[in-house]
Amino acid sequence: MKKFDFNKTENFYKAVLSLETNDECKNFFEDIFTVKELQDICQRIEVAMMLDKGKSYNEICEKTGASTATISRVNRCLVYGSGGYRNVLDKINTTEEK
């Protein structure tokens, strides 16, 4: 199996960073991802938000339909990851507080 070349992600990151409005984001992500991929990404963010609020795996499973494996992976990223989820959650929480 060929290893993934993370250097090839730069154009994707540049594309995402170029988006300025919710509509631009919506249109781009609907074009670039399949419906299933977009649903999965949205589910992971919802799982991260619920984990951040201290919800149990059972509550999260019932509300989101996510498997315990998905919840565990998101939790592992929250605790040991690169800080991406934490950064986004903090920004979402700050926005919601305003």
Side-chain angles (χ1 to χ4, degrees):
M1 180 188 243
K2 189 176 179 180
K3 283 191 172 187
F4 185 77
D5 181 358
F6 285 97
N7 292 323
K8 293 183 179 181
T9 61
E10 289 305 311
N11 286 333
F12 176 71
Y13 300 150
K14 287 176 187 175
V16 171
L17 289 171
S18 75
L19 303 171
E20 296 180 6
T21 66
N22 282 344
D23 281 342
E24 285 182 359
C25 287
K26 177 184 174 290
N27 293 337
F28 177 67
F29 289 126
E30 284 181 1
D31 282 350
I32 200 164
F33 295 120
T34 65
V35 171
K36 177 70 171 123
E37 290 167 336
L38 191 55
Q39 288 171 337
D40 289 347
I41 291 166
C42 293
Q43 181 186 63
R44 289 180 197 141
I45 293 169
E46 187 175 6
V47 166
M49 292 172 78
M50 292 181 75
L51 285 167
D52 195 44
K53 292 178 180 168
K55 302 295 182 185
S56 71
Y57 276 35
N58 284 339
E59 282 181 280
I60 297 168
C61 280
E62 288 176 19
K63 173 117 170 73
T64 67
S67 68
T68 55
T70 295
I71 297 167
S72 178
R73 183 181 188 292
V74 171
N75 191 53
R76 195 167 44 254
C77 289
L78 275 169
V79 175
Y80 303 109
S82 302
Y85 276 116
R86 177 81 276 135
N87 185 38
V88 168
L89 291 175
D90 288 348
K91 288 180 179 187
I92 290 170
N93 290 335
T94 299
T95 302
E96 288 178 353
E97 290 171 4
K98 291 182 180 178

